[in-house]
Amino acid sequence: MNASVASPATGAQHSPDRPIIGVLALQGDVREHVAALAECGAQPVLVRRASELAAVGALVLPGGESTAISKLLEVFELLEPVRARLREGMPAFGSCAGMILLASEVLDTRPDAKHLSGIDMTVRRNAFGRQVDSFETDLDFAGLTDGPVRAVFIRAPWVERVGAGVEVLATVPSGPAAGRIVAVRQGKVVATSFHPEVTGDLRVHRMFVDLVRAAE
Protein backbone atom coordinates (compact mmCIF):
# COMPACT_ATOMS: atom_id res chain seq x y z
CA MET A 1 0.00 0.00 0.00
CA ASN A 2 1.56 3.25 -1.11
CA ALA A 3 -0.39 5.52 1.22
CA SER A 4 0.65 5.47 4.84
CA VAL A 5 -2.02 4.45 7.33
CA ALA A 6 -2.19 6.26 10.64
CA SER A 7 -2.90 4.40 13.86
CA PRO A 8 -4.12 6.20 16.98
CA ALA A 9 -2.60 3.37 19.00
CA THR A 10 0.83 4.15 17.59
CA GLY A 11 0.83 7.90 17.90
CA ALA A 12 -1.30 9.45 15.14
CA GLN A 13 -1.85 13.09 16.06
CA HIS A 14 -5.34 14.52 15.67
CA SER A 15 -5.51 17.82 13.83
CA PRO A 16 -8.53 19.67 12.43
CA ASP A 17 -6.58 20.05 9.18
CA ARG A 18 -5.75 16.32 9.05
CA PRO A 19 -8.79 14.53 10.46
CA ILE A 20 -8.43 10.87 11.45
CA ILE A 21 -10.84 8.95 9.21
CA GLY A 22 -11.36 5.23 9.57
CA VAL A 23 -11.70 2.85 6.62
CA LEU A 24 -13.65 -0.31 7.44
CA ALA A 25 -11.05 -2.95 6.59
CA LEU A 26 -13.02 -6.20 6.65
CA GLN A 27 -13.40 -6.78 2.89
CA GLY A 28 -13.43 -4.80 -0.35
CA ASP A 29 -11.39 -2.02 -1.96
CA VAL A 30 -9.84 -0.70 1.24
CA ARG A 31 -6.45 0.40 -0.11
CA GLU A 32 -7.99 2.62 -2.79
CA HIS A 33 -9.95 4.58 -0.19
CA VAL A 34 -6.89 4.82 2.05
CA ALA A 35 -4.86 6.31 -0.82
CA ALA A 36 -7.60 8.78 -1.78
CA LEU A 37 -8.10 9.98 1.81
CA ALA A 38 -4.36 10.45 2.31
CA GLU A 39 -4.13 12.50 -0.90
CA CYS A 40 -6.96 14.69 0.38
CA GLY A 41 -5.06 15.50 3.58
CA ALA A 42 -6.74 13.12 6.02
CA GLN A 43 -5.09 10.49 8.23
CA PRO A 44 -6.61 7.13 7.22
CA VAL A 45 -6.91 4.45 9.88
CA LEU A 46 -7.82 0.81 9.25
CA VAL A 47 -10.81 -0.20 11.38
CA ARG A 48 -11.32 -3.85 12.31
CA ARG A 49 -12.09 -3.57 16.03
CA ALA A 50 -14.39 -1.49 18.20
CA SER A 51 -11.39 0.15 19.88
CA GLU A 52 -10.16 1.37 16.48
CA LEU A 53 -13.61 2.67 15.60
CA ALA A 54 -13.73 4.61 18.87
CA ALA A 55 -10.49 6.41 17.96
CA VAL A 56 -11.66 7.88 14.62
CA GLY A 57 -13.81 10.88 13.84
CA ALA A 58 -15.44 9.47 10.70
CA LEU A 59 -15.73 6.21 8.78
CA VAL A 60 -15.56 5.09 5.14
CA LEU A 61 -17.37 1.91 4.14
CA PRO A 62 -15.73 0.60 0.95
CA GLY A 63 -17.09 -1.21 -2.05
CA GLY A 64 -16.97 -4.99 -1.98
CA GLU A 65 -19.56 -7.66 -1.23
CA SER A 66 -22.23 -6.18 1.02
CA THR A 67 -23.52 -9.44 2.51
CA ALA A 68 -19.97 -10.57 3.30
CA ILE A 69 -19.17 -7.25 4.97
CA SER A 70 -22.40 -7.37 6.99
CA LYS A 71 -21.50 -10.85 8.28
CA LEU A 72 -17.98 -9.71 9.13
CA LEU A 73 -19.35 -6.72 11.02
CA GLU A 74 -21.06 -9.22 13.31
CA VAL A 75 -18.04 -11.55 13.52
CA PHE A 76 -15.77 -8.65 14.52
CA GLU A 77 -18.43 -7.26 16.91
CA LEU A 78 -18.61 -4.00 15.00
CA LEU A 79 -22.23 -3.94 13.84
CA GLU A 80 -23.76 -2.33 16.92
CA PRO A 81 -20.79 -0.01 17.60
CA VAL A 82 -20.99 1.38 14.05
CA ARG A 83 -24.76 1.78 14.34
CA ALA A 84 -24.30 3.60 17.63
CA ARG A 85 -21.67 5.97 16.23
CA LEU A 86 -23.94 6.78 13.27
CA ARG A 87 -26.82 7.55 15.63
CA GLU A 88 -24.48 9.85 17.55
CA GLY A 89 -23.73 11.82 14.37
CA MET A 90 -20.44 10.34 13.13
CA PRO A 91 -19.72 11.39 9.52
CA ALA A 92 -19.59 8.45 7.12
CA PHE A 93 -19.14 7.76 3.42
CA GLY A 94 -20.10 4.55 1.66
CA SER A 95 -19.37 3.56 -1.95
CA CYS A 96 -21.30 0.76 -3.72
CA ALA A 97 -21.48 -1.97 -1.01
CA GLY A 98 -21.00 0.86 1.49
CA MET A 99 -24.15 2.52 0.16
CA ILE A 100 -26.07 -0.73 0.66
CA LEU A 101 -24.81 -1.02 4.23
CA LEU A 102 -25.80 2.57 5.04
CA ALA A 103 -29.39 2.12 3.83
CA SER A 104 -32.42 1.88 6.09
CA GLU A 105 -33.99 -0.70 3.73
CA VAL A 106 -32.34 -3.04 1.19
CA LEU A 107 -34.13 -4.88 -1.62
CA ASP A 108 -32.92 -8.06 -3.35
CA THR A 109 -30.56 -9.05 -0.57
CA ARG A 110 -30.22 -12.11 1.65
CA PRO A 111 -32.71 -12.32 4.53
CA ASP A 112 -29.87 -12.57 7.06
CA ALA A 113 -27.98 -9.52 5.73
CA LYS A 114 -27.70 -6.59 8.12
CA HIS A 115 -27.67 -2.87 7.40
CA LEU A 116 -26.77 0.22 9.41
CA SER A 117 -29.66 2.66 8.79
CA GLY A 118 -27.29 5.60 8.39
CA ILE A 119 -29.42 7.18 5.62
CA ASP A 120 -33.20 7.12 5.27
CA MET A 121 -33.32 5.40 1.88
CA THR A 122 -34.31 2.20 0.12
CA VAL A 123 -31.51 0.67 -1.96
CA ARG A 124 -31.82 -2.12 -4.52
CA ARG A 125 -28.77 -4.39 -4.45
CA ASN A 126 -27.12 -5.29 -7.82
CA ALA A 127 -29.72 -3.07 -9.53
CA PHE A 128 -27.65 -2.51 -12.67
CA GLY A 129 -27.03 -6.22 -13.23
CA ARG A 130 -24.12 -8.62 -13.00
CA GLN A 131 -20.37 -8.04 -13.30
CA VAL A 132 -20.61 -8.14 -17.12
CA ASP A 133 -23.06 -5.23 -16.95
CA SER A 134 -20.50 -2.95 -15.27
CA PHE A 135 -20.14 0.41 -17.01
CA GLU A 136 -18.84 3.97 -16.78
CA THR A 137 -20.62 7.27 -17.37
CA ASP A 138 -20.30 10.99 -16.61
CA LEU A 139 -22.47 12.41 -13.82
CA ASP A 140 -23.39 15.91 -12.78
CA PHE A 141 -22.74 15.84 -9.03
CA ALA A 142 -24.34 18.50 -6.82
CA GLY A 143 -21.80 20.72 -5.09
CA LEU A 144 -18.81 19.65 -7.21
CA THR A 145 -17.31 22.01 -9.76
CA ASP A 146 -14.86 21.55 -12.67
CA GLY A 147 -17.10 19.36 -14.78
CA PRO A 148 -18.86 16.02 -14.46
CA VAL A 149 -17.66 13.11 -12.33
CA ARG A 150 -16.58 9.98 -14.19
CA ALA A 151 -18.47 7.22 -12.40
CA VAL A 152 -17.55 3.52 -12.44
CA PHE A 153 -20.44 1.15 -11.67
CA ILE A 154 -19.54 -2.46 -10.76
CA ARG A 155 -22.52 -4.67 -9.79
CA ALA A 156 -23.86 -1.45 -8.38
CA PRO A 157 -27.00 -0.63 -6.40
CA TRP A 158 -29.32 2.27 -7.01
CA VAL A 159 -31.60 4.18 -4.65
CA GLU A 160 -35.33 3.60 -5.09
CA ARG A 161 -36.61 5.86 -2.30
CA VAL A 162 -35.21 8.69 -0.22
CA GLY A 163 -36.62 10.18 2.95
CA ALA A 164 -37.54 13.84 3.39
CA GLY A 165 -34.15 14.70 4.90
CA VAL A 166 -32.06 13.12 2.13
CA GLU A 167 -30.42 15.24 -0.60
CA VAL A 168 -30.02 13.65 -4.03
CA LEU A 169 -26.52 14.45 -5.31
CA ALA A 170 -26.48 12.60 -8.65
CA THR A 171 -28.71 10.60 -10.99
CA VAL A 172 -27.98 8.54 -14.10
CA PRO A 173 -28.22 10.97 -17.05
CA SER A 174 -29.34 8.66 -19.87
CA GLY A 175 -29.98 5.10 -21.01
CA PRO A 176 -32.30 2.45 -19.53
CA ALA A 177 -31.49 3.59 -15.98
CA ALA A 178 -31.94 7.32 -16.67
CA GLY A 179 -33.07 9.19 -13.59
CA ARG A 180 -32.01 6.52 -11.12
CA ILE A 181 -30.49 7.97 -7.95
CA VAL A 182 -26.80 7.05 -7.50
CA ALA A 183 -25.49 9.53 -4.91
CA VAL A 184 -27.12 10.92 -1.77
CA ARG A 185 -26.38 12.81 1.41
CA GLN A 186 -28.21 13.00 4.72
CA GLY A 187 -26.54 15.35 7.14
CA LYS A 188 -22.98 14.14 7.61
CA VAL A 189 -23.47 10.81 5.82
CA VAL A 190 -22.77 10.44 2.07
CA ALA A 191 -23.23 7.43 -0.20
CA THR A 192 -22.53 6.68 -3.86
CA SER A 193 -23.52 3.71 -6.02
CA PHE A 194 -20.26 4.08 -7.90
CA HIS A 195 -16.58 3.87 -6.99
CA PRO A 196 -14.89 7.31 -6.89
CA GLU A 197 -11.86 5.68 -5.29
CA VAL A 198 -10.82 3.93 -8.53
CA THR A 199 -10.76 6.80 -11.03
CA GLY A 200 -8.15 9.18 -9.63
CA ASP A 201 -10.75 11.96 -9.37
CA LEU A 202 -10.51 13.03 -5.73
CA ARG A 203 -13.41 15.47 -5.63
CA VAL A 204 -15.90 13.20 -3.85
CA HIS A 205 -13.31 12.23 -1.22
CA ARG A 206 -12.23 15.84 -0.85
CA MET A 207 -15.86 16.84 -0.32
CA PHE A 208 -16.15 14.22 2.41
CA VAL A 209 -12.90 15.22 4.11
CA ASP A 210 -14.09 18.85 4.11
CA LEU A 211 -17.39 17.68 5.62
CA VAL A 212 -15.48 15.90 8.40
CA ARG A 213 -13.35 18.98 9.07
CA ALA A 214 -16.48 21.12 9.32
CA ALA A 215 -18.06 18.66 11.77
CA GLU A 216 -15.13 18.77 14.23
Side-chain angles (χ1 to χ4, degrees), residues 43-131:
Q43 297 184 71
V45 174
L46 301 182
V47 171
R48 298 188 184 94
R49 296 186 292 270
S51 60
E52 293 164 341
L53 175 68
V56 302
L59 184 67
V60 170
L61 296 99
E65 215 295 310
S66 60
T67 54
I69 297 173
S70 77
K71 285 184 178 180
L72 290 168
L73 281 167
E74 291 187 287
V75 169
F76 284 81
E77 299 182 341
L78 275 169
L79 183 66
E80 291 306 326
V82 173
R83 283 175 173 166
R85 288 293 307 276
L86 289 168
R87 287 194 298 268
E88 293 164 3
M90 175 184 68
F93 167 49
S95 65
C96 198
M99 169 183 266
I100 296 168
L101 291 164
L102 285 170
S104 56
E105 181 183 19
V106 181
L107 306 178
D108 294 340
T109 193
R110 291 169 52 108
D112 59 342
K114 302 296 192 298
H115 49 87
L116 299 166
S117 297
I119 297 177
D120 181 12
M121 63 180 174
T122 301
V123 168
R124 185 172 297 278
R125 183 172 173 267
N126 293 343
F128 289 98
R130 300 183 178 183
Q131 191 84 10

Side-chain angles (χ1 to χ4, degrees), residues 128 131-137 150-156 172 174 177:
F128 289 98
Q131 191 84 10
V132 295
D133 299 309
S134 300
F135 69 101
E136 298 182 24
T137 191
R150 189 66 176 173
V152 177
F153 293 88
I154 305 170
R155 295 180 63 197
V172 178
S174 60

Side-chain angles (χ1 to χ4, degrees), residues 23-49:
V23 179
L24 187 67
L26 303 180
Q27 193 266 347
D29 50 351
V30 174
R31 83 170 54 228
E32 292 86 352
H33 279 291
V34 166
L37 291 169
E39 286 194 60
C40 292
Q43 297 184 71
V45 174
L46 301 182
V47 171
R48 298 188 184 94
R49 296 186 292 270

Side-chain angles (χ1 to χ4, degrees), residues 140-143 167-171 181-185 189-192 207:
D140 292 325
F141 197 106
E167 178 186 3
V168 174
L169 300 177
T171 61
I181 299 168
V182 292
V184 294
R185 173 179 175 178
V189 183
V190 178
T192 63
M207 178 194 73

